[in-house]
Amino acid sequence: MKKVIIFITIILVLFSPRFYWMFKSAAALDIAVVDKTVPKKDYREHNGLFWILENKKIVKPNGELYDIGRDYFGYDPYEQKETVSYDVTRNVDLIYIADTYGVYSDDLQDLPEGERTQKVYGGMDLLEWNAVMESKGKDTTLIAEFNSFAEPTDKVTRKIMERNIGVVWSDWIGRYFKELDSSEIPPWLIRNYENQYKEKWDFKGPGLAFVHTSDRVVVLGKHDVKDFVSVQLTQQGEKQLDGVSSSNYMYWFDIVSPMEGSDILAEYELHLTSKGEEQLIQSGIPTKFPAVVHHAENKTYYFAGDYTDYPKKSLAKWEKAPLLLKGFSNDDSQFYWSTYVPLMNEVIEKIIEQKRW
């Protein structure tokens, strides 16, 4: 009998986070998500957000959990077509523009080659953006991420989106790569570099690559880069974002500047040698630029990176799972658990508190 009691006690302790999640109260929020980059059934470009919603037990107004495969506007990987254009006619609590880059013919292959191919679907058009803004009431929080207004969105729509969100894009994007000779390097990036500089791509080891909308590229190799790209909270960010930590960031980002009225809550810092800094200065690229921009009055945030792009799916229905998974994070996942998850927790809690009043 004693062994049975011990066994039951161990099971209860081990599964107590799961039991706690099951019995804790849910919070209802009306959320509209736009993700036009869904070529595969992993829903990777908005998975990170939906993991948080499930973990926090955020439910739809009807009491159901948000469904990652149905509760978004964008591309349906099963039917291989657009789900439905944004048609929300009510004021919602949160609008999240995860990605509008779209789906291209190469993306639909079993083994994509990373080439720029024919667009199947993508971009934000002005009519749809107007529909987004019509559903944004004065108390609605609007979040947009990297590639919300870049190509293939037309320039007129882009300028209006920038004004509504409170940022201006410089036309530059970039990424840190652990290995510049790996399969992660897009073939078009190598081709553009070789065409521009008339020399073979022979980079090895870590480095940074920047790409302009004109297809101009700037590449810093291992002798120019001293460390990862990091996201650091500003003084304003430290005041507003309790529990959010600085971290390394390993994915694509864009270089933006805030409009009047917007605050920079976090910045990217590039850790370069003097030679690397000089190369960027000559190209008009800063070594420090915004990562999170917030316009408090308009209740908008711009995340200048692929923040919700994260493949993790397990343990969502376990209380305090983020703390556990943060402890096991590595270079690739550190940003998600240390910065993005607590950042979104702060944003969501503010929305919930606002609704109480």
Side-chain angles (χ1 to χ4, degrees):
M1 183 65 179
K2 184 177 181 180
K3 289 183 179 180
V4 173
I5 294 174
I6 293 174
F7 176 76
I8 293 174
T9 302
I10 292 173
I11 293 297
L12 288 173
V13 170
L14 289 175
F15 287 91
S16 59
R18 172 70 166 134
F19 297 144
Y20 188 93
W21 184 94
M22 289 174 61
F23 293 108
K24 77 173 182 178
S25 299
L29 291 180
D30 197 352
I31 302 173
V33 177
V34 176
D35 183 3
K36 300 195 172 190
T37 312
V38 193
K40 305 296 183 185
K41 299 168 186 175
D42 58 4
Y43 303 99
R44 180 175 177 133
E45 295 293 336
H46 62 265
N47 181 69
L49 170 65
F50 277 70
W51 191 97
I52 294 170
L53 296 180
E54 187 170 27
N55 182 249
K56 290 183 69 64
K57 213 169 186 179
I58 304 299
V59 297
K60 295 184 284 188
N62 64 6
E64 296 178 359
L65 286 170
Y66 279 89
D67 187 321
I68 192 171
R70 294 175 10 187
D71 294 320
Y72 72 97
F73 299 94
Y75 189 79
D76 183 344
Y78 286 92
E79 298 292 333
Q80 294 197 349
K81 65 179 183 180
E82 178 183 6
T83 53
V84 63
S85 293
Y86 193 96
D87 65 349
V88 179
T89 56
R90 63 192 182 280
N91 289 343
V92 297
D93 298 312
L94 170 63
I95 303 169
Y96 199 112
I97 315 296
D99 201 312
T100 68
Y101 179 65
V103 176
Y104 295 75
S105 57
D106 179 63
D107 299 327
L108 301 178
Q109 305 302 314
D110 291 335
L111 296 173
E113 297 177 355
E115 287 284 9
R116 289 172 169 172
T117 52
Q118 183 178 2
K119 183 181 77 171
V120 175
Y121 164 75
M124 177 70 74
D125 64 57
L126 188 54
L127 287 176
E128 189 171 14
W129 181 250
N130 286 340
V132 169
M133 293 307 296
E134 285 173 8
S135 69
K136 185 187 182 312
K138 64 181 181 64
D139 293 325
T140 301
T141 297
L142 169 63
I143 299 174
E145 284 198 3
F146 163 76
N147 228 119
S148 288
F149 45 65
E151 296 181 355
T153 296
D154 66 87
K155 291 184 179 179
V156 172
T157 303
R158 166 188 159 182
K159 291 299 181 184
I160 293 172
M161 292 177 70
E162 287 177 327
R163 186 167 65 247
N164 292 151
I165 296 168
V167 297
V168 178
W169 180 36
S170 68
D171 288 329
W172 283 102
I173 65 173
R175 180 175 173 177
Y176 175 90
F177 291 96
K178 289 183 179 179
E179 296 291 338
L180 285 172
D181 59 346
S182 73
S183 60
E184 283 197 322
I185 310 299
W188 56 263
L189 175 58
I190 296 174
R191 191 163 52 248
N192 286 358
Y193 175 87
E194 293 179 342
N195 289 338
Q196 179 180 328
Y197 295 97
K198 309 303 179 186
E199 60 182 53
K200 187 173 178 57
W201 179 286
D202 61 355
F203 294 99
K204 298 183 185 301
L208 276 163
F210 297 87
V211 184
H212 192 267
T213 52
S214 65
D215 276 344
R216 180 187 172 201
V217 299
V218 175
V219 182
L220 303 183
K222 61 183 178 181
H223 300 299
D224 306 314
V225 177
K226 295 192 291 187
D227 205 346
F228 301 123
V229 175
S230 63
V231 173
Q232 304 285 337
L233 293 181
T234 62
Q235 289 186 346
Q236 189 73 15
E238 290 177 348
K239 292 178 182 177
Q240 294 188 29
L241 303 175
D242 185 37
V244 179
S245 302
S246 300
S247 62
N248 296 325
Y249 179 74
M250 308 295 289
Y251 303 106
W252 288 101
F253 54 79
D254 53 4
I255 300 176
V256 299
S257 57
M259 286 186 174
E260 184 177 356
S262 296
D263 296 317
I264 301 173
L265 303 186
E267 295 178 315
Y268 292 112
E269 290 190 14
L270 309 182
H271 305 283
L272 309 173
T273 64
S274 56
K275 179 186 173 185
E277 289 183 2
E278 183 60 30
Q279 287 188 67
L280 291 194
I281 290 172
Q282 290 177 359
S283 300
I285 300 173
T287 59
K288 182 185 290 188
F289 42 91
V292 177
V293 179
H294 176 43
H295 195 296
E297 183 177 351
N298 295 340
K299 290 185 169 56
T300 63
Y301 291 84
Y302 185 70
F303 299 163
D306 262 338
Y307 291 3
T308 189
D309 177 348
Y310 190 68
K312 184 72 178 180
K313 294 188 177 182
S314 60
L315 298 182
K317 294 181 179 179
W318 287 63
E319 187 69 11
K320 303 299 182 183
L323 292 178
L324 173 66
L325 295 169
K326 178 181 177 181
F328 287 96
S329 63
N330 54 27
D331 291 338
D332 292 321
S333 61
Q334 181 190 100
F335 171 82
Y336 181 79
W337 297 114
S338 297
T339 306
Y340 178 70
V341 171
L343 169 60
M344 283 306 303
N345 282 338
E346 282 289 306
V347 173
I348 291 171
E349 287 301 323
K350 286 180 181 178
I351 296 172
I352 292 173
E353 184 179 349
Q354 175 183 275
K355 287 199 71 174
R356 293 195 183 110
W357 291 95

